[in-house]
Amino acid sequence: MQPKATEQQVQHVCQLVKDMGLTDHVIHGTELTVVAVIGEDRRKDQGRLEQAPGVDRVMRVLAPYKLAARESRQERSIVRLSEQCTFGGKDISIIAGPCSVESEEQIMQTARMVKEAGAHALRGGAFKPRTNPYAFQGMGEDGLKLLAAARAETGLAVVTEVVTPDDVELVSKYADCLQIGTRNAQNYKLLEAVGAQSKPVLYKRGMSMTIDEYLQATEYILAGGNNNVVLCERGIRTFEDHTRNTLSLSAVPELHHRTHLPVVIDPSHGTGHARLVPAMARAAVAAGCDGLAIEVHPDPEHALTDGAQSVTPAVLAEMIASVRRVAEAVDRRCGEPVTLAV
Amino acid sequence: MQPKATEQQVQHVCQLVKDMGLTDHVIHGTELTVVAVIGEDRRKDQGRLEQAPGVDRVMRVLAPYKLAARESRQERSIVRLSEQCTFGGKDISIIAGPCSVESEEQIMQTARMVKEAGAHALRGGAFKPRTNPYAFQGMGEDGLKLLAAARAETGLAVVTEVVTPDDVELVSKYADCLQIGTRNAQNYKLLEAVGAQSKPVLYKRGMSMTIDEYLQATEYILAGGNNNVVLCERGIRTFEDHTRNTLSLSAVPELHHRTHLPVVIDPSHGTGHARLVPAMARAAVAAGCDGLAIEVHPDPEHALTDGAQSVTPAVLAEMIASVRRVAEAVDRRCGEPVTLAV
Amino acid sequence: MQPKATEQQVQHVCQLVKDMGLTDHVIHGTELTVVAVIGEDRRKDQGRLEQAPGVDRVMRVLAPYKLAARESRQERSIVRLSEQCTFGGKDISIIAGPCSVESEEQIMQTARMVKEAGAHALRGGAFKPRTNPYAFQGMGEDGLKLLAAARAETGLAVVTEVVTPDDVELVSKYADCLQIGTRNAQNYKLLEAVGAQSKPVLYKRGMSMTIDEYLQATEYILAGGNNNVVLCERGIRTFEDHTRNTLSLSAVPELHHRTHLPVVIDPSHGTGHARLVPAMARAAVAAGCDGLAIEVHPDPEHALTDGAQSVTPAVLAEMIASVRRVAEAVDRRCGEPVTLAV
Amino acid sequence: MQPKATEQQVQHVCQLVKDMGLTDHVIHGTELTVVAVIGEDRRKDQGRLEQAPGVDRVMRVLAPYKLAARESRQERSIVRLSEQCTFGGKDISIIAGPCSVESEEQIMQTARMVKEAGAHALRGGAFKPRTNPYAFQGMGEDGLKLLAAARAETGLAVVTEVVTPDDVELVSKYADCLQIGTRNAQNYKLLEAVGAQSKPVLYKRGMSMTIDEYLQATEYILAGGNNNVVLCERGIRTFEDHTRNTLSLSAVPELHHRTHLPVVIDPSHGTGHARLVPAMARAAVAAGCDGLAIEVHPDPEHALTDGAQSVTPAVLAEMIASVRRVAEAVDRRCGEPVTLAV
């Protein structure tokens, strides 16, 4: 309450609390009075009380999400995309591939190269949400088919983005994991749609979402019955201009503290510059992440999208080797690279 | 180019530029060399060049949007929702109403009260994108019908949000103007869907979009053939904690400088606190905005959503009176309030 | 407390609270327990409790500043720089002048021109804190003498920056008001130094300070016995790139709500672009500010510093005329321009 | 230039460029004209051109700092605080200690404990810049004497903050390294003062400084002749609220790319929560940093300042052991802990 709130105003607030089906509890301080509101308030709108006369502020004590919360589960969740690709256990899995599927040759070549470099899953966009409407928007279903073909050849799990509820069924037919991009992080209809099916979801944090908002939005997926959610920090929007976004690695220990879900880091979008990716990938693993998502293009100079942040397969291979050493230094594991039979 | 770039690296970049169908132009400075890229590059991905050896940075000179740009049109666009409600001319129109349609009594009562207070359009959400999945999500089509009934009685134009492409047809049947909310500001499928129909669109800026990104995304609507777009600044995400968002009023003169589209300000979401709304509404009009969007609830303490930022009809009436004076001080006009016949 | 905190942990926290000389009060909720801490805690470090076992978070209820708080004074403070220049009453006073004092001709000419345009005080830096060490750093005491000469001729009050405690005595000998710049907003030794003398202080908000931190830092000045403090919002650091800073006008009603001190707006630094200054100056007045600080240069193209954000005297005159109309529309006053006798 | 700039306007800009002693070079594009400005422009104010008629924007190509730039030196700089404590070579050195020196017992006990835990330098504030004027401000010279005594006993190098130019001589008498805190990051008089003496400087990035601004400000120290500068990222101000600041680890590879100076990370201020410190310390080392600064208090619950972010000596010992493993995984070294002779 405000310092000069009257006893009548305090009583009015207590009545409002009772009207909400909650319990009130008044604390008289030396300079002001506080009304504690007790009860399961996660579904209540705290804004309602702020307008009552004499009220100074409403502060929330209880986190407004439940299924994602650490308290709701004893163990960490493990999300499995394929036998070689899991998130949340001892293994650190690496998702690698181009921003967009551009052609059969490009995706097949990349798939083979990232497999040999040691990656566990192939990423590649068939439906691309581009900032600019005149930019390349993706190959659509043809791109999905190419990803499936690349999986058939390499055994890599396939991760690809879905941008609208109507495409969820189609994309889940081809993919092992559906990605929700940062621009759709609060597209709740889309979150509901991926929550209503059973394929794992790689859910990227919105570029200006707090951790609290992120976990509340995650509830949209979990509430639909799909618990196979992998969280992904991909950089937040700040004043910094040496990177495209600011990669906030403290999200890793914080999310592990608050939720049982695995956490993947995307240093490619998180920095926007290929030269910063390897150092940040190592840092992410040292911070305790459960996986990495890396943009790779065999020829970044000629990529149709996001060339600046793509590393070459050669850089990827070197990076995974160094990541493996860091993983072991923090008692994790990152599987050995595989040479594909010719 | 980097300070130590070789002539060969410069030539390689020039070749890449030519490969993109653009013209190169080399400038030798005292400490480094710059390659100017000339041509219609709005559809090109500048990231592609950044990876070439010896390249330091790629800087864009030309704005990557076209239809929204001031250059594309001599006059300011006027968007008309109804005879009494237009944006972009001399008149400042006011959209007022509750965050959500909650019941027939609530919306009818509010509609009458905001009409008498001097508003020109009624807002109210039937489909609500809520941060928390357990919070009230709106009345759906029943809410739309109540809005239409309120229009029939008061003559107010109806503005309401659409959250997914599948609902566009339904919402446009009832509404005079479709609102795109901040969380869907980069939901490009939704932007395309409202661009493919003809009802005016109130398009809110994403909470962490730059003005450049905002206008690029606006192109998604314009490119579909719908020019009836009203832009809306509703606060951006910053470190400030005394408000829910930071209302960035410099967006008004900046958007007017760059585009021909009208600009509305939403001081309710822009501050999150009812007590800050009237001052910011006056400031917005003095900054040159073409309209205001204000959250109003007859009983904010009992609102199901966003009570903290809703003003009462009495505060709205007073605020519009003061806004009218400011409007005249900057040679604009804000229509007189109307007393409804009983 | 954390959801699984033991009774013993709660008791330990209560003991810590008692050890701090405060009173504890335990509230048992449905899912967790809260320990309310009662007492004059403004001098206590809330961080100390956060480390106790079982503690989840510490939330502060009482603002940690006192002298600046609205509660400590019934009326708004009026700060007087000269007979024509006061802040905090009905009058809106305008401080105008160049970023730097560059020469006798430049400052004298500017002083006459801003006086005729209707300004009430002359600003101009003699000691400049520049981002770049190789940039022009100001004329020092010679600049101060020129400012005093300009005051003698025009009657304008003089506002100028002080950058280090050692210069406070010197600057206060010449100036009517000492300015603390944004880069020194948390230079506490400097705040103490200006608090220990009696000349009014124009204290600019740090570019990433919250309102709370700003008012806490203001206490450094007030605690020294100098109550003549004028607060100044000059833009905050955000992700926006169309302006040098984001001018956060909601600071005006918020500061008026929390403190009795007057508030000035600086739209020149707040936007960084001359073409945005007039609209934002009008908006600031409509938001309720008590004064404006405007950068003016007779020849911005040849200014040694901050040319991009300086308006010409002609633009200033026009702007003040329009500001005057807005001031009247919000029941304030902005004195008529004066023609200097020749 | 703006799309509709006239040839005359272009010529006027070219003349302005020549007047600045620089060379102009005109490029005619398909939609607009660009004037390239060639020459050593680091000391020029780019704002001057922005006001010329027809100018749209001024974009800087060359970084405005020189001594700190990578180009100015072939090798990385090594800064030596003592035989055991160097930054910039293969070794990663750890600075540990309390926020404030509080008493002889506290600092002596902490010094012994951090030494045994494996730290290389002791930190502790004798002069504290506190947000709140009523909070504990440090012990002053008595605190410095205690730090010197702790060095005598343990052999740890001493790092302590200096907050005003007048104290530089005093502090440098006792300390091995002078710290500039984040709130003084743009207190240029203080930067000049530490640049004019020869003790190493631990210079913390301002909480809202870009990397460019940070390196420009670093020039203030280097330009005075003191090259012994250790940079320190300690978290930036963003919208995130789960941490006190957002620790931006991409600053490590970016600073190493741009400058020859060593980089230290402060995960204590960078997160504000003791439970996040060990993970972020490991991440920092994996990202390539040259050292760590860690807040340690033997009894964080009873620390006078910053208890929430202080770890205990036991946690420090464990953390250094894990940091050592990560250091080796990235081919660095972090010296073995030492047991003090009794």
Side-chain angles (χ1 to χ4, degrees), chain C residues 94-98 110 114 119-124 292-296 316:
Chain C
I94 293 170
I95 305 165
T110 309
V114 305
H120 308 87
L122 176 69
R123 53 154 292 157
L292 295 168
I294 310 286
E295 277 198 15
V296 179
L316 179 72

Side-chain angles (χ1 to χ4, degrees), chain C residues 45 50 130 134 219-220 273, chain D residues 50 130 134 219-220 273:
Chain C
D45 185 345
E50 198 179 306
R130 302 301 308 281
Y134 307 125
E219 294 281 290
Y220 273 93
H273 298 289
Chain D
E50 198 179 309
R130 302 300 308 282
Y134 308 126
E219 294 280 290
Y220 272 94
H273 298 288

Side-chain angles (χ1 to χ4, degrees), chain B:
Chain B
M1 305 297 297
Q2 291 162 358
K4 290 173 188 168
T6 63
E7 185 50 32
Q8 199 181 351
Q9 287 172 334
V10 172
Q11 286 315 315
H12 175 63
V13 168
C14 292
Q15 191 53 52
L16 282 173
V17 169
K18 289 189 191 93
D19 292 352
M20 291 163 84
L22 302 171
T23 307
D24 58 299
H25 182 120
V26 177
I27 308 161
H28 293 287
T30 45
E31 306 203 13
L32 42 76
T33 297
V34 171
V35 179
V37 180
I38 302 168
E40 168 54 274
D41 76 332
R42 300 185 194 221
R43 291 160 199 246
K44 304 290 173 183
D45 186 345
Q46 66 178 43
R48 297 170 61 179
L49 293 169
E50 198 178 310
Q51 292 266 343
V55 168
D56 186 63
R57 245 170 322 147
V58 180
M59 298 163 86
R60 183 186 281 281
V61 172
L62 200 63
Y65 47 88
K66 205 151 186 186
L67 298 173
R70 196 73 195 268
E71 346 158 2
S72 79
R73 244 183 100 100
Q74 292 294 44
E75 295 156 26
R76 307 208 62 77
S77 291
I78 295 185
V79 178
R80 183 178 304 275
L81 269 59
S82 73
E83 216 155 298
Q84 274 77 45
C85 185
T86 60
F87 299 97
K90 188 172 180 178
D91 284 294
I92 287 163
S93 291
I94 292 169
I95 305 166
C99 180
S100 306
V101 181
E102 295 170 9
S103 69
E104 181 170 357
E105 194 199 331
Q106 172 245 19
I107 196 68
M108 284 304 192
Q109 184 191 359
T110 310
R112 278 181 226 115
M113 289 170 108
V114 305
K115 172 79 177 181
E116 291 198 19
H120 308 87
L122 176 68
R123 53 155 292 159
F127 297 97
K128 297 300 306 171
R130 303 301 308 281
T131 304
N132 189 326
Y134 307 126
F136 175 63
Q137 308 274 328
M139 291 181 69
E141 189 169 1
D142 288 345
L144 296 175
K145 287 180 181 164
L146 293 178
L147 288 167
R151 172 179 50 205
E153 185 173 326
T154 60
L156 292 166
V158 162
V159 180
T160 195
E161 185 162 354
V162 58
V163 296
T164 193
D166 290 348
D167 292 344
V168 168
E169 200 185 326
L170 176 71
V171 175
S172 65
K173 227 173 74 186
Y174 294 98
D176 299 302
C177 177
L178 278 58
Q179 179 180 309
I180 302 287
T182 191
R183 290 174 187 74
N184 282 312
Q186 288 178 297
N187 181 344
Y188 301 125
K189 291 287 170 191
L190 184 57
L191 298 180
E192 284 171 358
V194 299
Q197 56 87 54
S198 61
K199 283 279 172 78
V201 178
L202 179 69
Y203 173 38
K204 294 195 162 189
R205 178 181 177 190
M207 64 185 92
S208 62
M209 277 170 119
T210 63
I211 293 291
D212 237 45
E213 291 167 344
Y214 188 25
L215 291 177
Q216 285 188 67
T218 302
E219 295 280 290
Y220 273 93
I221 308 177
L222 300 178
N226 186 351
N227 295 314
N228 290 309
V229 177
V230 179
L231 300 174
C232 180
E233 156 70 25
R234 47 73 70 204
I236 57 169
R237 193 48 74 96
T238 74
F239 69 85
E240 288 202 309
D241 56 6
H242 73 279
T243 44
R244 193 164 147 184
N245 298 284
T246 293
L247 190 64
S248 178
L249 288 182
S250 72
V252 177
E254 185 69 19
L255 286 169
H256 279 167
H257 177 70
R258 296 208 206 175
T259 172
H260 51 85
L261 299 170
V263 180
V264 157
I265 292 292
D266 173 352
S268 303
H269 289 88
T271 64
H273 298 289
R275 65 183 162 72
L276 298 172
V277 169
M280 297 311 281
R282 289 188 285 268
V285 169
C289 76
D290 301 297
L292 295 168
I294 309 285
E295 276 198 16
V296 179
H297 197 282
D299 182 8
E301 283 179 11
H302 289 92
L304 293 186
T305 54
D306 276 349
Q309 68 196 33
S310 297
V311 298
T312 59
V315 169
L316 179 72
E318 229 176 274
M319 190 186 90
I320 293 181
S322 70
V323 157
R324 186 172 298 126
R325 293 175 63 194
V326 174
E328 283 158 14
V330 293
D331 296 323
R332 300 292 287 272
R333 197 168 53 196
C334 185
E336 287 293 318
V338 179
T339 306
L340 291 179
V342 188

Side-chain angles (χ1 to χ4, degrees), chain A residues 2 40 56 92 137 146 181 200 208 247 285:
Chain A
Q2 291 162 358
E40 168 52 275
D56 186 63
I92 288 163
Q137 308 274 327
L146 293 178
S208 63
L247 190 64
V285 169

Side-chain angles (χ1 to χ4, degrees), chain C residues 12 16 19 42-43 45-53 56 60 64-67 127-137 163-167 183-189 192 207-210 212-213 216-217 219-220 223 237 272-275 300-312, chain D residues 12 16 19 42-43 45-53 56 60 64-67 127-137 163-167 183-189 192 207-210 212-213 216-217 219-220 223 237 272-275 300-312:
Chain C
H12 176 65
L16 283 173
D19 291 352
R42 299 186 193 218
R43 290 160 199 246
D45 185 345
Q46 67 179 40
R48 297 171 60 178
L49 293 169
E50 198 179 306
Q51 292 266 344
D56 186 63
R60 184 185 280 279
Y65 47 88
K66 204 147 189 187
L67 299 173
F127 297 98
K128 296 301 307 172
R130 302 301 308 281
T131 303
N132 190 326
Y134 307 125
F136 176 62
Q137 309 274 327
V163 297
T164 192
D166 290 349
D167 292 343
R183 289 173 186 75
N184 282 312
Q186 288 178 296
N187 181 343
Y188 300 126
K189 292 286 170 193
E192 283 171 358
M207 63 185 92
S208 62
M209 277 171 117
T210 64
D212 237 47
E213 290 166 344
Q216 284 187 68
E219 294 281 290
Y220 273 93
R237 193 47 75 95
H273 298 289
R275 65 182 162 74
E301 283 179 11
H302 289 93
L304 293 185
T305 54
D306 277 349
Q309 68 196 33
S310 297
V311 298
T312 60
Chain D
H12 176 64
L16 283 173
D19 291 353
R42 300 185 192 219
R43 291 160 199 245
D45 185 345
Q46 66 178 42
R48 296 170 63 179
L49 293 169
E50 198 179 309
Q51 292 266 343
D56 186 63
R60 184 186 280 281
Y65 46 88
K66 206 151 186 184
L67 299 173
F127 297 97
K128 296 301 305 172
R130 302 300 308 282
T131 305
N132 189 325
Y134 308 126
F136 176 63
Q137 308 274 329
V163 297
T164 192
D166 290 349
D167 292 343
R183 289 174 186 74
N184 282 312
Q186 287 178 295
N187 181 343
Y188 301 124
K189 292 287 171 193
E192 283 171 359
M207 64 184 94
S208 62
M209 276 171 119
T210 62
D212 237 46
E213 291 167 343
Q216 284 188 68
E219 294 280 290
Y220 272 94
R237 193 47 75 96
H273 298 288
R275 65 182 162 73
E301 284 179 10
H302 290 92
L304 293 185
T305 54
D306 277 348
Q309 69 197 34
S310 297
V311 298
T312 60

